[in-house]
Amino acid sequence: MKALKKPIILLLITTVMAFALLFFYRTPMDVNILYIGGSVMLISAITYFAIVYFKLGDEYLFLIVSMLVVLGTLMLCRINYTYGIKQILWYLISVSAFYLSFFIYKYVKMLNKMGTFYFILGVILFIATLLFGTRSGGAKNWIRAGILSVQPSEFIKLLYIFFLASYFSGKRDKLVFGKIKEKYAILFCVYMYLGFLVLQREWGIAVLFFVIYIAMEYIFEHDLMLILCNFLLAGLGGGVGYLTMYHIQVRVATWLNPWADVSKTGYQIAQSLFAISSGGFFGSGLGLGKPEYIPAVHTDFIFSAICEELGLFGGVAIILLFFIFTYRGAKISLKLPEGFDKCIAAGITVMFGIQTFIILGGVIKLIPLTGITLPFISYGGSSLLSSFIALGVLQALSGREVEK
Amino acid sequence: MSGFYSVLASLLKYIFVTVIYLFIFAIIRMIFLDIKKANSDKRKPQHDTTYLEVITNKNNLYFDVESSYPLTSDVVIIGRGEDCTISINDLYMSNQNTQLWFEDKEWYIADMGSTNGTYINGEKMTDEPLILDSGDRIRIGQVEFVIVIVGE
């Protein structure tokens, strides 16, 4: 019984059960799924023991994320086997990216002096998306190169946090171009990013960027007047957007009442609500529900599928996992001394927290739905990769506090 | 879907959810133990050098102060400037407000010509340096310290 108190053992039990179920679910039975499950298990275990043994910092972050990834890949394999396998391959790549970003952040010392570089790289990526991007589901956010398709906004997200952090940790009384206060220059940069996102119709990520800025402004500068002005400005922008753009009106209308046009615009959210409600407390059991009726169930609406097949308890478990994850992030940030590291930790934590809130709120009809991925769970290589890079940075930051 | 699988999946869903919750519980428990340990470490601060203890209620201050500052070097400058040994972002402090130094086994204190001065046990200091005794109250800006002299 004592073993059951160790989270890593429980994680391994979950992985074994998940892939055993998948093995029996697939007809004809495919032995490969057991090998894949075994390798996922091995990677989680090795990384966990490496973190504990070499004292690489917080040991819970990776555990929580591994649990989320196992639940996510389980659901994906069940919804669409090809996507699931692809996601597991991306997971293997992402874990290497996790190690890479961990060591880069730990040993490269000049990351805090490259604010302008992050900003310009972000702008270049935005322009590249606008020029070479392809449209998918209303948003022009993909760059396809051969078999590989990348979603640059996932990586701009990280650049944006690094950019904001290098500003908030630097001396803030500098003047740009001789007369503009740096505070307002940053504001201009933030709104430029938001403008690009609106051009790509990435409303979810635009909201995410805005909230990250507000949160960091509130934590590190605490200029309440500026925050108020920002809210007014954003409210104005949102209002103008609502009045002029049809697809935002549709989004708000389906949020207020999806049943009014349930066969067309309200279809997705209605199916999501049906799925969640049909799950009940313990769900229908894996493979026994019908989550494939929801459009985009493998990306944005994966939470509804989890709720249907693993039940309300499964869904709440996901929320709780994100909850502890955000708590750990906030704790790491609080313990760090003032400076770049603290800003990065706060930014990444806010990013994960708000992103989870935006999409979960969207699929349960709490807030208007905006297409954004659920970190670590939704299908998508770019999303998984960028989340793991951020996790690597957070891991390196939690190590700093141990060193002291 | 085969009947065998349906039974298996329906049974396993309960175990599955239970294991996930045990996992969450185990993590919360470990985090809780962590915090408990960290708090019990914090309760007994170790001081083997002379230190300044802040006695002003920190909740009334709009800037950050530590609960105590160990005096590790022989010359300590207190002020608002970032290059001070003890830098406190209090607007009522001058950039270099007060100097403390260790000489002939005594701690001396001198005001560095600050705008708002330095108060020892409630009295404003003159330009003359003073010798500090353990337990003297020093007020600089809005912050009041007590000096605790350890050792000789």
Side-chain angles (χ1 to χ4, degrees):
Chain A
M1 275 324 272
K2 209 174 174 189
L4 288 182
K5 283 185 178 167
K6 284 210 167 44
I8 179 73
I9 304 288
L10 292 162
L11 175 71
L12 296 182
I13 293 175
T14 317
T15 320
V16 170
M17 286 202 313
F19 283 93
L21 256 180
L22 272 179
F23 173 66
F24 288 115
Y25 175 65
R26 295 278 301 164
T27 41
M29 288 176 189
D30 186 358
V31 190
N32 283 337
I33 194 93
L34 294 181
Y35 295 139
I36 291 168
S39 56
V40 168
M41 214 163 95
L42 209 62
I43 289 174
S44 312
I46 289 174
T47 310
Y48 175 73
F49 285 115
I51 290 169
V52 174
Y53 186 77
F54 296 109
K55 292 199 170 57
L56 302 182
D58 196 303
E59 58 198 272
Y60 310 114
L61 285 175
F62 191 81
L63 272 179
I64 298 166
V65 166
S66 302
M67 189 58 142
L68 290 171
V69 169
V70 167
L71 291 175
T73 44
L74 168 71
M75 216 57 221
L76 276 170
C77 285
R78 178 254 169 277
I79 294 165
N80 185 325
Y81 191 64
T82 337
Y83 285 168
I85 298 301
K86 265 194 191 167
Q87 179 84 346
I88 290 170
L89 287 179
W90 273 112
Y91 173 60
L92 305 186
I93 298 169
S94 300
V95 171
S96 1
F98 164 78
Y99 281 112
L100 199 67
S101 80
F102 175 83
F103 285 110
I104 289 177
Y105 196 87
K106 205 171 162 84
Y107 296 111
V108 179
K109 295 288 171 207
M110 51 178 292
L111 287 170
N112 58 337
K113 296 190 183 73
M114 310 197 319
T116 329
F117 168 74
Y118 301 131
F119 175 69
I120 292 170
L121 195 62
V123 172
I124 291 172
L125 278 174
F126 268 130
I127 293 173
T129 325
L130 282 176
L131 289 181
F132 309 111
T134 43
R135 222 165 255 288
S136 118
K140 189 178 185 179
N141 53 4
W142 288 91
I143 294 182
R144 290 190 205 282
I147 50 160
L148 210 67
S149 50
V150 205
Q151 195 173 3
S153 51
E154 291 288 346
F155 299 100
I156 298 170
K157 207 164 65 179
L158 298 179
L159 288 172
Y160 174 74
I161 290 174
F162 272 75
F163 159 65
L164 280 185
S166 54
Y167 156 66
F168 281 113
S169 62
K171 287 202 167 73
R172 271 164 262 161
D173 40 12
K174 269 191 301 196
L175 293 177
V176 185
F177 302 128
K179 45 187 175 264
I180 314 161
K181 266 195 186 168
E182 203 184 6
K183 206 191 271 188
Y184 302 110
I186 290 297
L187 203 60
F188 174 75
C189 297
V190 169
Y191 276 89
M192 192 166 148
Y193 269 33
L194 292 185
F196 275 122
L197 286 168
V198 168
L199 279 180
Q200 293 178 18
R201 296 209 200 160
E202 288 252 37
W203 292 95
I205 297 192
V207 172
L208 180 65
F209 274 38
F210 180 72
V211 177
I212 291 174
Y213 170 73
I214 293 291
M216 288 181 77
E217 170 71 39
Y218 180 78
I219 298 169
F220 296 110
E221 211 164 57
H222 211 78
D223 188 339
L224 291 176
M225 217 38 221
L226 191 69
I227 292 174
L228 191 69
C229 292
N230 267 307
F231 272 121
L232 289 177
L233 211 62
L236 201 73
V240 170
Y242 177 73
L243 291 175
T244 52
M245 283 179 224
Y246 174 67
H247 63 270
I248 301 185
Q249 288 168 3
V250 170
R251 286 283 164 91
V252 174
T254 52
W255 167 55
L256 291 172
N257 186 5
W259 316 110
D261 188 10
V262 77
S263 59
K264 271 157 74 191
T265 52
Y267 184 74
Q268 197 174 28
I269 190 85
Q271 287 300 332
S272 160
L273 294 177
F274 284 143
I276 294 170
S277 66
S278 71
F281 278 120
F282 283 97
S284 58
L286 193 90
L288 304 177
K290 298 268 177 229
E292 56 271 21
Y293 287 154
I294 315 166
V297 67
H298 56 285
T299 54
D300 299 356
F301 279 83
I302 192 148
F303 182 73
S304 314
I306 290 174
C307 275
E308 177 168 5
E309 302 216 320
L310 301 179
L312 186 64
F313 284 125
V316 171
I318 299 278
I319 298 174
L320 274 176
L321 287 170
F322 275 112
F323 216 82
I324 320 174
F325 183 80
T326 316
Y327 162 76
R328 287 312 286 178
K331 192 149 182 291
I332 290 168
S333 173
L334 280 175
K335 271 198 173 178
L336 286 166
E338 290 291 327
F340 184 67
D341 289 350
K342 200 186 186 79
C343 298
I344 290 277
I348 288 177
T349 308
V350 169
M351 177 191 89
F352 280 127
I354 298 297
Q355 192 173 343
T356 312
F357 174 75
I358 291 174
I359 185 60
L360 292 190
V363 300
I364 64 172
K365 202 173 87 69
L366 181 71
I367 55 172
L369 175 71
T370 47
I372 194 170
T373 55
L374 186 55
F376 302 114
I377 295 188
S378 287
Y379 173 66
S382 306
S383 163
L384 202 64
L385 194 58
S386 81
S387 301
F388 267 93
I389 292 172
L391 181 70
V393 172
L394 211 53
Q395 186 75 49
L397 285 170
S398 69
R400 296 242 160 127
E401 127 206 334
V402 174
E403 278 165 24
K404 273 206 304 172
Chain B
M1 197 58 54
S2 68
F4 165 69
Y5 179 76
S6 306
V7 174
L8 184 74
S10 326
L11 278 179
L12 221 56
K13 69 185 185 194
Y14 297 106
I15 307 171
F16 204 72
V17 166
T18 316
V19 172
I20 298 172
Y21 275 90
L22 280 175
F23 172 83
I24 294 173
F25 177 74
I27 286 195
I28 292 178
R29 185 175 153 272
M30 282 172 79
I31 291 174
F32 174 72
L33 291 178
D34 252 19
I35 297 172
K36 215 168 131 189
K37 192 166 144 267
N39 278 351
S40 62
D41 287 350
K42 212 183 274 174
R43 237 170 256 143
K44 33 181 172 21
Q46 302 272 314
H47 283 292
D48 39 15
T49 54
T50 299
Y51 63 94
L52 292 174
E53 175 115 34
V54 175
I55 54 172
T56 320
N57 185 357
K58 274 184 279 181
N59 296 332
N60 299 336
L61 302 175
Y62 58 89
F63 46 84
D64 293 334
V65 284
E66 308 277 326
S67 56
S68 66
Y69 293 91
L71 303 180
T72 43
S73 54
D74 281 350
V75 179
V76 174
I77 294 173
I78 305 171
R80 191 150 55 92
E82 278 183 17
D83 45 347
C84 292
T85 332
I86 297 174
S87 163
I88 298 171
N89 192 16
D90 179 355
L91 289 176
Y92 288 85
M93 284 188 195
S94 300
N95 271 337
Q96 293 200 325
N97 203 93
T98 309
Q99 187 177 26
L100 280 87
W101 71 96
F102 191 66
E103 201 180 307
D104 301 334
K105 294 177 182 172
E106 300 277 10
W107 277 97
Y108 287 81
I109 187 166
D111 194 80
M112 296 171 81
S114 64
T115 320
N116 290 319
T118 304
Y119 292 79
I120 305 291
N121 296 328
E123 280 177 40
K124 189 166 182 171
M125 269 188 82
T126 52
D127 290 341
E128 288 288 297
L130 296 173
I131 295 175
L132 287 168
D133 293 324
S134 198
D136 277 345
R137 282 178 292 124
I138 306 166
R139 188 160 71 77
I140 303 167
Q142 297 177 66
V143 187
E144 189 152 21
F145 304 93
V146 162
I147 184 162
V148 181
I149 298 175
V150 178
E152 321 107 277

